[in-house]
Amino acid sequence: QVHVVESGGGSVQTGGSLRLSCESSSRTVSMGWFRQAPEKEREGVAHLDTITGNTHYADSVMGRFTISQDNVKKNKVYLQMNDLKPEDTAMYYCAAGPVFMYRLNEADFSYWGQGTQVTVSS
């Protein structure tokens, strides 16, 4: 069983920045972030191939969010979120999976963290 743990959520004002961290207990091919706002379905944000470093983003965060891998711990990733907007407010979940595909589909991820809350106020 792979355990996934997120950290780094918080509250910021519009235009602010936050960095989320996620570490899995074992290395998997793909690690990524999803989010779920109140009364909305969970949606993919970004993910990364831990072998090649390839990344994929949702259109809504392109150019504002960056997913990256720790230089030493290849089972640890970060999500740098800049120029945050109120619509980014959500519970953010880290996920890990055995494959990397250029899509953000929950079915590709086998292991999930408990989530960390991000709140952006106007």
Side-chain angles (χ1 to χ4, degrees):
Q1 181 72 16
V2 176
H3 297 282
V4 178
V5 179
E6 314 95 333
S7 62
S11 298
V12 296
Q13 293 188 325
T14 297
S17 298
L18 282 173
R19 189 175 83 155
L20 306 182
S21 298
C22 173
E23 187 166 353
S24 64
S25 59
S26 299
R27 188 171 181 181
T28 58
V29 174
S30 180
M31 292 185 71
W33 294 92
F34 288 74
R35 67 185 181 185
Q36 187 168 20
E39 301 182 358
K40 291 189 176 181
E41 293 186 356
R42 189 157 58 184
E43 63 175 359
V45 176
H47 69 139
L48 175 148
D49 184 324
T50 68
I51 308 300
T52 66
N54 290 333
T55 59
H56 178 65
Y57 295 90
D59 290 344
S60 59
V61 305
M62 187 80 71
R64 299 188 298 122
F65 292 11
T66 302
I67 188 169
S68 62
Q69 189 176 23
D70 190 272
N71 290 333
V72 176
K73 290 185 175 182
K74 297 305 180 182
N75 57 329
K76 187 171 184 177
V77 297
Y78 306 98
L79 185 68
Q80 178 66 42
M81 306 184 293
N82 297 329
D83 189 23
L84 283 161
K85 305 175 181 181
E87 51 264 43
D88 295 317
T89 295
M91 184 71 77
Y92 282 70
Y93 297 91
C94 183
V99 296
F100 176 87
M101 300 181 73
Y102 283 99
R103 66 182 187 185
L104 284 159
N105 190 321
E106 292 186 34
D108 295 335
F109 295 85
S110 305
Y111 311 102
W112 293 81
Q114 293 298 306
T116 185
Q117 178 67 37
V118 171
T119 302
V120 185
S121 58
S122 57

